[in-house]
Amino acid sequence: MSKVNVGIVGVGTYLPNRIMTAKEISDATNGVWSEEAVKAKLGINQKYIPGDDDGTQEMGVRAALNCLKNTGVDPKEIDVILCIGEEWKEYPLTTSALYIQDKIGAVNAWGIDVQNRCCTCVSAMEIAKDMLIADDEINTIMVVGGYRNCDYVDYTDKDMSMMYNLGAGGGAIILKKNYGKNLLLGSKIIADGSLSRTAGVEIGGIAHPFTKDNVEQGYKSLRLMDAKKMKDRLNEVSMPNWFKCIDESLKKAGLERKDITYLDILHIKRSGHLGMLKDLGLTEENTIYLQDYGHIGQIDQILSLELALKENKVKDGSVVCMIAAGIGYVWSANIIRWG
């Protein structure tokens, strides 16, 4: 059994100045979704959307700088940057981790981009933990990225209501070897590749390249490419897979469901959120519902943790359970003992 522990030094986020309200989302659906339904069912009062200079990589830089400021960590101490920023970014085929490395002065770090859609933060934290335990030369890792997949949403596509909540922002979290507190204790990730092409951006890749006729359509082509298959399969396996991730993470941590004091959960529709709390024996006091932020992809877990620390919902002795899921399809959970 490894004696090495891995702890969270701290977090930082960046949110754009622009918001889109529930009424504006309703208007964008041409009234198919009423403002009240957007709030009550989809669980969105408002969401953050990008301004003119809020590129994916740039928002990652801003979140990283905020994280360094919050933690007092010297960027020269960072050994590795695991970038969780989305592939929709300023320049295709550029490495976001290396852009961030330069902009924050992490001159001693190497970096790599990792992708698991909205599951990337939890997945990257597990990768970071394993790297910190396995490699004597790695002591400090920053997990960081930006997200603005909201750009691709077509609000007139009724199948896409599950993604009307997509927003924009950046997040960063620093993990350190033998930090001795805020320990990352256990993680579990489950994938179902049979759903790998049921959702995604349909136009603009090798299979369906841009042409002079489809450019406008292509930039709104984040779609359910096989809506029935995806929805049927998710109805069957999604909740069981999530609870398996939670229970196995708890088992690795030597804990049980009753020990969870804060559920760090991505933004999902209101009924799903409340159902998850009920099934875990938790109340709304044990979480923060991101109804005023939207779903900022893989940044949700970092944002939720930062908000919880500010609101004193996470403090010394708290047991945090982060949960995430990403199209493709992947589910994950981890357990952190704070303090």
Side-chain angles (χ1 to χ4, degrees):
M1 188 74 179
S2 172
K3 289 190 172 70
V4 175
N5 68 68
V6 172
I8 294 166
V9 184
V11 296
T13 57
Y14 167 80
L15 294 169
N17 291 322
R18 289 180 65 198
I19 58 164
M20 185 176 189
T21 64
K23 183 180 188 307
E24 287 170 324
I25 293 170
S26 167
D27 291 346
T29 71
N30 298 324
V32 172
W33 280 81
S34 68
E35 179 184 359
E36 197 41 56
V38 170
K39 288 180 177 177
K41 290 189 176 178
L42 297 181
I44 314 163
N45 295 337
Q46 62 174 42
K47 65 177 187 173
Y48 284 84
I49 58 171
D52 293 340
D53 65 341
D54 290 318
T56 305
Q57 295 171 333
E58 210 59 59
M59 290 191 290
V61 169
R62 292 169 191 162
L65 291 171
N66 286 336
C67 185
L68 292 171
K69 185 178 166 190
N70 293 344
T71 58
V73 170
D74 182 340
K76 294 185 179 70
E77 285 178 43
I78 299 170
D79 299 301
V80 181
I81 294 171
L82 295 179
C83 186
I84 60 172
E86 262 300 343
E87 293 176 295
W88 171 234
K89 56 195 175 187
E90 288 90 329
Y91 298 98
L93 305 188
T94 58
T95 303
S96 300
L98 303 185
Y99 181 78
I100 294 168
Q101 183 245 24
D102 176 60
K103 290 293 183 180
I104 69 171
V107 292
N108 297 313
W110 62 273
I112 187 169
D113 296 356
V114 292
Q115 247 325 315
N116 220 188
R117 302 286 79 78
C118 300
C119 211
T120 318
C121 180
V122 177
S123 300
M125 287 172 69
E126 170 66 4
I127 292 167
K129 182 185 172 192
D130 290 346
M131 290 172 75
L132 287 162
I133 290 170
D135 193 326
D136 293 339
E137 293 183 355
I138 298 175
N139 292 296
T140 306
I141 295 180
M142 176 183 274
V143 172
V144 58
Y147 181 97
R148 52 178 290 168
N149 289 2
C150 52
D151 294 346
Y152 273 104
V153 175
D154 176 1
Y155 296 93
T156 64
D157 181 346
K158 296 185 182 106
D159 279 338
M160 281 294 290
S161 62
M162 67 180 286
M163 297 194 205
Y164 291 169
N165 62 350
L166 296 189
I173 185 165
I174 294 175
L175 297 97
K176 204 171 184 73
K177 181 183 296 181
N178 291 330
Y179 190 57
K181 57 184 179 179
N182 311 334
L183 300 184
L184 178 55
L185 298 177
S187 306
K188 178 66 179 177
I189 303 162
I190 295 173
D192 184 344
S194 72
L195 297 170
S196 60
R197 289 190 177 173
T198 54
V201 176
E202 197 164 13
I203 298 168
I206 293 165
H208 296 285
F210 281 125
T211 67
K212 62 179 172 48
D213 300 318
N214 70 8
V215 170
E216 204 171 313
Q217 182 192 10
Y219 281 114
K220 292 293 175 195
S221 68
L222 175 55
R223 295 173 179 157
L224 304 192
M225 294 184 274
D226 191 339
K228 186 179 187 311
K229 178 181 177 180
M230 180 168 152
K231 288 177 177 177
D232 287 352
R233 182 72 178 149
L234 290 185
N235 286 337
E236 185 187 335
V237 302
S238 201
M239 281 301 171
N241 281 351
W242 242 342
F243 283 111
K244 186 176 180 184
C245 288
I246 293 168
D247 290 337
E248 294 205 14
S249 297
L250 284 164
K251 190 177 174 185
K252 289 178 185 177
L255 298 168
E256 299 174 29
R257 286 189 190 181
K258 65 179 172 54
D259 296 311
I260 297 170
T261 60
Y262 184 76
L263 186 66
D264 182 321
I265 179 173
L266 72 167
H267 184 275
I268 55 176
K269 66 181 181 180
R270 198 177 294 275
S271 61
H273 177 86
L274 294 172
M276 176 75 79
L277 288 176
K278 187 181 175 196
D279 288 343
L280 289 171
L282 299 170
T283 72
E284 291 181 69
E285 282 302 303
N286 301 108
T287 191
I288 293 172
Y289 188 49
L290 300 174
Q291 61 189 10
D292 295 319
Y293 298 88
H295 175 36
I296 311 174
Q298 49 270 40
I299 308 304
D300 281 9
Q301 287 73 33
I302 298 172
L303 174 62
S304 180
L305 179 57
E306 183 173 69
L307 294 171
L309 288 166
K310 284 178 182 168
E311 293 183 26
N312 212 29
K313 288 192 172 194
V314 170
K315 48 189 183 270
D316 279 6
S318 294
V319 173
V320 178
C321 176
M322 285 185 172
I323 65 169
I327 57 175
Y329 217 92
V330 59
W331 299 262
S332 66
N334 69 27
I335 301 295
I336 301 154
R337 187 189 289 281
W338 203 261

